[in-house]
Amino acid sequence: MTKVTPFLMFEGNAEEAMNYYISLLEDSEITSITRYGPNQPGDEGSVMHATFSLKGQEFMCIDSNVKHAFTFTPSFSIFITCDTEEEIDRLYERLVDGGGPLMPLNNYGFSKKFGWIVDKFGVSWQLTLPLFE
């Protein structure tokens, strides 16, 4: 085994999601995209396979050409430890837009501020501002 990488399966909006995510976090980028071409099993131009990184954490994703009876679940989430209150507030507001809160941004006792969100793509995010800096 060489490494473990989180893998996200979208249904036609993988590139939009990647671009959105890298716009939210500094030091993030799309590192590769392979697209379906003509006469291939996916929609032409959609993402056959892509990799991107968020603050150094690599992710892989695809656009599934098969419609499934499942989607993302909050039991898997992207967890971000923020450095400042301004940062957690900004990320929360951007991620909740078009999605929805699972736990509104608040002090739940285990951090100064915490929020759990499902974004507009259905991906779950947990944001925390630690008690101790």
Side-chain angles (χ1 to χ4, degrees), residues 27-83:
D27 304 321
S28 301
E29 64 180 338
I30 296 172
T31 52
S32 71
I33 299 178
T34 303
R35 301 175 195 287
Y36 286 104
N39 305 316
Q40 289 186 308
D43 292 337
E44 186 174 352
S46 66
V47 175
M48 180 188 298
H49 182 268
T51 57
F52 64 103
S53 70
L54 301 176
K55 296 295 258 187
Q57 172 63 56
E58 186 178 61
F59 292 81
M60 294 183 347
C61 69
I62 63 169
D63 278 324
S64 175
N65 59 338
V66 176
K67 297 299 178 200
H68 300 278
F70 57 85
T71 185
F72 297 110
T73 170
S75 67
F76 176 86
S77 58
I78 300 170
F79 193 95
I80 298 179
T81 302
C82 297
D83 292 327

